[in-house]
Amino acid sequence: MAFESKIKTIEWVDNVSRMIDQTVLPKEYKTVDIKTDKEMFFAIKDMIVRGAPAIGIAGVHGVSLAAIELSKSITDKSEFLSKLKERGEYLKSSRPTAVNLMWGVNQQIELASKTQGNIDEITKALIENGIKLENEDIEINKKMGDYGAQVVPKGATILTHCNAGALATVGYGTALGVIRSAFAKDPTIKVFADETRPRQQGARLTTWELTSDGIPTTLITDGMCSYFMSKGMIDMVVVGADRIAANGDTANKIGTYTVAIAAKYHNIPFYIAAPLSTIDISIKSGKEIPIEERSHEEVTHINGDWICAKDVNIINPGFDVTPNELITGIITEKGILKPDFKTSINNALKS
Ligand code: MRU
């Protein structure tokens, strides 16, 4: 059963990509209109839009915006297609870890080269494909929600990390979609949300989303999860994913691996919720997933203030990789994949 969420994170409106500005939530709710592929590059890089499926759609819209701009000055189709490909490569370089961005851009470039007709017809096809993919994203999330809700125990307290919600997708969410669907069946479930240092997606975004929907949520700091697990206060973990390798190893927000180890130690089921577009079948294991290194200021500052010694060394990887042996199941739109993941992933992609 689907629980309605009113949040529409990214949407094509009147030839612009309209998105919720996630850098200012929850203090302020505002949308921004992205009008060019260059603006889209920075919207992704600066995390106005973030979360793997949402940046996948941002990549799709980015190619449509590039096509609109190029169509104003280019009349030769092969020149148009070659410039469009270049712009696509540029968009893909905005963030390296979430494979959905590459998936979104590649789909559009492939569609452009296959579409019969002139430049205007290609541009129209790209825009229409973007709108179709937006709607599909929400449908896929609702399907994942329904599958995932089946493994949520009655009255469970679910721990989640980062934000894999409506804000990380077009709407409804992946991990938070599972929570929404479970809550629709059983309003006694509760959520513990990790704050998710350094950018606080859990504190800023997940608590905003869930409490807006009336889902009881407790905010904890990242280091607290094993304490609450040891007290028997967490029944399951559900998180999202930025890239899943062919063997099920999963990259997600930094800190996810720590949660998975703690869950294994305490015998708590640990689920990933992600659409099949998050699976990168071209890589054998998580070792090959590129990990984004983010600005050091995210660690040295909180709300613009220095919080540490000025000459300290900083390392700030945005993601980590949870090895497949720590994962109980991967919740997808085609059902819940179980170990061995190499086989179950292959079967899901073929079906
Ligand atoms: O750096 P972010 O905020 O884009 O990272 C987001 C995450 O790690 C999410 O958990 C992941 O993208 C899954 S979103 C459905």
Side-chain angles (χ1 to χ4, degrees), residues 242-315:
D242 287 84
R243 195 184 292 226
I244 301 173
N247 69 349
D249 292 351
T250 296
N252 192 50
K253 181 52 53 195
I254 193 77
T256 304
Y257 181 24
T258 313
V259 175
I261 292 170
K264 183 83 172 179
Y265 182 79
H266 293 98
N267 278 320
I268 294 167
F270 178 94
Y271 286 94
I272 301 288
L276 294 173
S277 55
T278 306
I279 298 173
D280 183 354
I281 200 73
S282 74
I283 56 170
K284 284 203 187 88
S285 82
K287 288 195 184 77
E288 294 168 63
I289 299 176
I291 300 294
E292 180 179 19
E293 173 71 18
R294 294 201 53 90
S295 151
H296 292 179
E297 214 179 300
E298 290 181 352
V299 178
T300 56
H301 287 66
I302 292 184
N303 291 337
D305 289 331
W306 271 95
I307 55 150
C308 55
K310 297 241 159 134
D311 53 0
V312 70
N313 297 323
I314 303 292
I315 311 178

Side-chain angles (χ1 to χ4, degrees), residues 34-326:
I34 301 298
K35 300 188 185 81
T36 65
D37 56 310
K38 192 164 181 203
E39 282 178 15
M40 186 62 88
F41 176 94
F42 286 104
I44 298 169
K45 193 174 178 57
D46 299 338
M47 295 172 68
I48 291 172
V49 61
R50 35 69 50 202
I55 66 173
I57 298 296
V60 166
H61 287 183
V63 176
S64 303
L65 292 169
I68 291 173
E69 195 179 305
L70 292 169
S71 68
K72 289 179 187 154
S73 57
I74 298 177
T75 49
D76 178 66
K77 189 170 162 180
S78 58
E79 188 191 351
F80 172 83
L81 289 176
S82 123
K83 286 265 183 322
L84 195 68
K85 201 168 171 212
E86 268 173 36
R87 302 280 186 109
E89 292 306 310
Y90 166 72
L91 282 163
K92 285 195 281 182
S93 66
S94 54
R95 292 192 77 187
T97 303
V99 76
N100 312 58
L101 174 60
M102 325 309 158
W103 166 89
V105 170
N106 291 345
Q107 282 231 7
Q108 290 285 73
I109 299 299
E110 207 182 306
L111 175 66
S113 66
K114 275 197 204 143
T115 303
Q116 305 290 326
N118 62 27
I119 291 174
D120 286 344
E121 283 159 334
I122 295 174
T123 305
K124 187 165 170 272
L126 293 174
I127 292 171
E128 281 171 2
N129 190 43
I131 294 166
K132 179 180 124 247
L133 291 172
E134 278 174 35
N135 294 329
E136 274 177 17
D137 176 89
I138 298 178
E139 288 315 307
I140 285 171
N141 292 340
K142 288 185 176 169
K143 278 189 192 151
M144 272 190 276
D146 286 347
Y147 282 121
Q150 292 168 15
V151 290
V152 176
K154 177 134 187 59
T157 297
I158 306 169
L159 175 73
T160 191
H161 188 77
C162 193
N163 173 271
L167 289 168
T169 60
V170 176
Y172 203 70
T174 58
L176 300 195
V178 170
I179 288 169
R180 285 192 164 94
S181 296
F183 186 74
K185 277 182 23 189
D186 172 13
T188 68
I189 68 153
K190 296 181 194 66
V191 177
F192 269 41
D194 280 346
E195 67 169 341
T196 319
R197 271 286 284 156
R199 282 189 73 103
Q200 318 279 11
Q201 290 94 327
R204 292 189 304 104
L205 308 176
T206 296
T207 67
W208 178 79
E209 248 197 79
L210 292 178
T211 58
S212 305
D213 277 351
I215 301 175
T217 305
T218 301
L219 174 64
I220 62 171
T221 66
D222 296 346
M224 292 178 185
C225 80
S226 24
Y227 172 78
F228 289 114
M229 287 178 181
S230 76
K231 295 273 172 210
M233 289 170 70
I234 309 284
D235 301 297
M236 73 184 285
V237 179
V238 187
V239 297
D242 287 84
R243 195 184 292 226
I244 301 173
N247 69 349
D249 292 351
T250 296
N252 192 50
K253 181 52 53 195
I254 193 77
T256 304
Y257 181 24
T258 313
V259 175
I261 292 170
K264 183 83 172 179
Y265 182 79
H266 293 98
N267 278 320
I268 294 167
F270 178 94
Y271 286 94
I272 301 288
L276 294 173
S277 55
T278 306
I279 298 173
D280 183 354
I281 200 73
S282 74
I283 56 170
K284 284 203 187 88
S285 82
K287 288 195 184 77
E288 294 168 63
I289 299 176
I291 300 294
E292 180 179 19
E293 173 71 18
R294 294 201 53 90
S295 151
H296 292 179
E297 214 179 300
E298 290 181 352
V299 178
T300 56
H301 287 66
I302 292 184
N303 291 337
D305 289 331
W306 271 95
I307 55 150
C308 55
K310 297 241 159 134
D311 53 0
V312 70
N313 297 323
I314 303 292
I315 311 178
N316 184 21
F319 301 90
D320 57 26
V321 176
T322 299
N324 60 34
E325 60 266 30
L326 300 181

